[in-house]
Amino acid sequence: MKSGGANTLRNRGRVAVIASALMMTTALAPVMFATDATAQVAANGIDGQYAFDIPAQSLTSALAQFGVQTGLQVTVDGALARNVQASAVSGTMRADTALEALLRGTGLSYDITDDETVVIEAVNTGGAAQGEVLDPIRVEANGAEASGPDVAITESFVASRSRTASKTDTPILDDSSAVSVITQKEMETRNVQDIQQAVSYTAGVQAAEYGSDYRYDYVRIRGFGQTSLSSYRDGLPIRIYNFTNSRPEPYGLQQIDVLKGSTSSLFGLNGPGGLVNMTTKRPEDEAGGEVFTTFGENHLRGGGDVTGPVVEGSNWTYRLTGLWQDAERSQDYSQDDRLYIAPAFTYKPKAGTEVTLLTSYSERDSGLGYGYPIGIETSRDAFFGEPDFNNFDTEETNIGYALSHQITDKLEFRQNARYTHVDLTYETIYLNDSTPLGNRNAFAIYGELDRFGIDNQLQYDTAINDTFDSKTLMGIDFNRDRNREFRRDGTASAIDPYNPSYCGLSCITFTSSSDTEITQSTYGAYLQEQLTIADDWIATVGGRFDYVQSDTDTISSGTTAERDDHKFTSRLGLTYKATNEVSIYGNYSESFQPVYSGLASRPDGVKPQEGTQYEIGVKYQPETFDALFTAALFDLTQENVSQWNSSTSSYKQIGEINSRGLELEGKMSLDEQTNLTLAYTYLDAEIKDDITAANIGNSPANVPEHQASAWLDYTIPGRGWFGDLTLGGGMRYTGERARNDGNTETLGGYTLFDAAVIYAVTDDVSLSVNATNLTDREYVSSNTFGSRYYGDGRTVLATLKYSW
């Protein structure tokens, strides 16, 4: 129990007030700048020269970017621009030349009013009015390049831009860090059922460490477990405190970014390996949708996704995504039932201003998946609990928004916010690891989580002169999590694991309980500069200060533990554009991870776990076809690692782990018929310091030295009555790894195969069959806490889909 006294409370309150004031000041930035922005008239108007970078996209979005890049006010009747596509425009040219290029082939023209407003209007005569398409100035070679970071990529496995790596719209080729993107096209082709499946073909990522245990999405990045702190949705954290949390529904996502390495200079407290950022499906300007049904053994799912303008000519667009599932897992007495509904709305009142409301409700009724104690050799689908006390049920509600406002042609304000509420019912009976034939353990958690996060950003882009281009980002964010859990521990009568006979709730005896509330508030301020020098060099310098308040109230015993942490972290990066297709980069980055009050002890107090990383790499994105290839070498160290000391029954904070390695990754979408991904990871992980001296120099538990994966699908074009036929297959390899830090045992490597067959019955109807672990390989994914965890067996799912 910590007693900080009045001074501690005053200091904490002072920091909270200052941080809150800064946040409010930043949130009011659009108001403060609005007058100047409204009064501003482009210095050179429609005749001026400007540097344009407008990808091919809907005309509405293209005109908005034209207005932002010229400072001109643009107005258009929504009915005229609806469902009209604009070609890409790139390079330095007059504004009227660029605008004419955007409007070619659309049947539209423009006029200039006395106050320099550009008015888009219809052309009633001539070839343009009849839809004659003229040559654009330049069309991007790669389809993925035509999409901004917030636009779903539905025709390619390749993404060329990401907001995750730098919190700005930056080409992946230009960023000085390793980031992998799983597009909506890739997720749909592989029909991923959870986040683990989505990232399982990504270099540097180890997924599904606990196999059939499906309470959470277990992900390691560069050898470090990232499950607790490193999940993000729309740039806001989804942190797990103890047990209460809900798994994201992948059908509600349009993209997943995996940022590798230490990331605290932008995202605050985090693990050293990296993070996974999921982007929610957004409303689209063009109307479209789909409905589908998926079926398999003990598996039935139905859902749909529709989007478009609320009414014709409206500034409002909508999206409604829904899913229902009634399913069982392979293990006896397991279930995976889901209900997901996510309404979203986007409002674009004028060019350069946009707000998207993102809401969702998710209900999941599932079991747990179990480890098998050493000495028990039975079917991997055997069940040792009680069918009536085998629940991991969650109910999650989200409401949030994403706001962007172009204050001037150089200054933009963005704000993301979300409130989340989660209820958890977690009930289980399991075999005792040390005496599996004796009484079983009983365990229950009844949790409630309230989470609020907000991130305010100001971005200022300018050309200092002909040599230097600057992109400056300033941000202030706040996150608060309150997690209350009522816990019960006890026993249940013994069971014969080879011939189980269940006794129901009557054989469960609870012997202890606790009621705990964890509250954590984090305040962060960050600054980043991306300086482009002579178009060939890009220097990235960033720093962030975090202040973290953590309170643990054990209500059942009346004790309170308080902890305050603060840390400044930095990031330095340099990218050299050797050609338009090749970049070479290096970076230094840091991370910090606070430790709960009672988790570790040391004479000079508990320190945050700290990570430092050095990385160099090369990226290649050819202009002649749609692909991205990356290679990265890294050296990553985490210090102050907390470890359990069994001799004193307490945690000590003396650990240090180093992970060095190589990552190779390639993604290609060729000639609209072929998609290919390749990934290889080499990890040399080593324990540098440990409470057990004999462990020093060993490999950390469950970190493989080698991992590899490959996916290939090819579409055979249809002829006559025969539709397109897509055949796909994948391989995932995980090498040998140590079972424990002592390296006394080794877990064998394994290779899994996946497959997909997709047949286009008509232009609108498709039938697909996806299989994971096609050969039904039996393998041990990990062996920890005295138990073996088996990976999932073969799963085959068929999906019938109608799209429009």
Side-chain angles (χ1 to χ4, degrees), residues 289-310:
E290 67 179 30
V291 291
F292 73 93
T293 182
T294 298
F295 47 93
E297 184 178 2
N298 299 318
H299 187 110
L300 180 61
R301 165 189 270 205
D305 182 21
V306 292
T307 186
V310 174

Side-chain angles (χ1 to χ4, degrees), residues 591-657:
S591 69
F592 92 107
Q593 183 177 341
V595 176
Y596 286 124
S597 302
L599 187 59
S601 59
R602 55 187 295 160
D604 54 347
V606 183
K607 296 182 178 180
Q609 299 177 135
E610 299 177 359
T612 56
Q613 176 184 265
Y614 300 88
E615 178 180 344
I616 58 173
V618 60
K619 302 175 183 179
Y620 170 52
Q621 185 171 25
E623 293 182 340
T624 55
F625 60 96
D626 192 7
L628 178 64
F629 303 92
T630 61
L633 285 167
F634 59 89
D635 190 317
L636 175 59
T637 300
Q638 186 179 38
E639 300 176 333
N640 303 328
V641 179
S642 298
Q643 297 179 302
W644 177 254
N645 186 344
S646 57
S647 62
T648 61
S649 296
S650 64
Y651 282 91
K652 298 294 183 182
Q653 195 177 29
I654 64 169
E656 180 179 330
I657 297 174

Side-chain angles (χ1 to χ4, degrees), residues 237 245 396-399 418-422 449-453:
N245 208 61
E396 176 179 338
T397 303
N398 287 286
I399 181 168
R418 183 177 62 243
Y419 167 76
T420 301
H421 179 82
V422 179
L449 170 69
D450 289 289
R451 172 184 294 131
F452 175 74

Side-chain angles (χ1 to χ4, degrees), residues 291-481:
V291 291
F292 73 93
T293 182
T294 298
F295 47 93
E297 184 178 2
N298 299 318
H299 187 110
L300 180 61
R301 165 189 270 205
D305 182 21
V306 292
T307 186
V310 174
V311 295
E312 192 67 28
S314 171
N315 291 330
W316 288 85
T317 54
Y318 78 96
R319 190 159 193 166
L320 178 62
T321 307
L323 177 145
W324 168 88
Q325 177 173 301
D326 183 358
E328 297 179 6
R329 307 278 290 197
S330 60
Q331 194 172 50
D332 295 341
Y333 299 102
S334 64
Q335 61 179 345
D336 187 10
D337 299 341
R338 309 182 193 180
L339 175 64
Y340 177 81
I341 184 167
F345 296 91
T346 294
Y347 176 53
K348 300 177 182 178
K350 63 178 181 177
T353 300
E354 179 177 325
V355 59
T356 298
L357 178 66
L358 298 167
T359 67
S360 66
Y361 172 80
S362 177
E363 184 178 337
R364 298 182 67 135
D365 295 335
S366 63
L368 292 88
Y370 288 91
Y372 295 77
I374 297 173
I376 300 298
E377 302 293 340
T378 185
S379 166
R380 59 180 168 177
D381 296 332
F383 177 70
F384 307 134
E386 288 297 326
D388 297 332
F389 202 76
N390 181 49
N391 302 298
F392 194 88
D393 300 342
T394 59
E395 188 176 1
E396 176 179 338
T397 303
N398 287 286
I399 181 168
Y401 64 86
L403 166 69
S404 64
H405 175 63
Q406 198 73 36
I407 301 170
T408 71
D409 61 324
K410 297 180 179 180
L411 184 65
E412 182 185 22
F413 172 77
R414 296 189 295 270
Q415 185 180 76
N416 294 341
R418 183 177 62 243
Y419 167 76
T420 301
H421 179 82
V422 179
D423 289 310
L424 169 68
T425 298
Y426 177 4
E427 299 170 326
T428 183
I429 305 293
Y430 58 97
L431 295 182
N432 190 314
D433 293 334
S434 57
T435 56
L437 300 182
N439 284 343
R440 294 170 293 170
N441 292 328
F443 178 77
I445 291 283
Y446 305 97
E448 184 178 273
L449 170 69
D450 289 289
R451 172 184 294 131
F452 175 74
I454 186 169
D455 186 10
N456 303 282
Q457 302 171 16
L458 274 175
Q459 181 177 324
Y460 183 73
D461 297 354
T462 187
I464 300 175
N465 52 39
D466 292 340
T467 303
F468 297 98
D469 291 322
S470 171
K471 183 184 292 185
T472 305
L473 177 71
M474 181 186 74
I476 297 176
D477 60 28
F478 169 75
N479 293 276
R480 184 180 187 272
D481 292 76

Side-chain angles (χ1 to χ4, degrees), residues 75-77 80 103 106-112 119-123:
T75 64
V76 60
D77 185 339
L80 293 177
L103 298 178
T106 65
L108 301 174
S109 184
Y110 71 92
D111 193 11
I112 307 295
V119 180
I120 307 300
E121 55 191 15
V123 176

Side-chain angles (χ1 to χ4, degrees), residues 81 236 289 542 547 559 670 695 759:
L236 297 172
Y547 176 71
T559 59
L670 310 177
N695 291 347
Y759 177 63

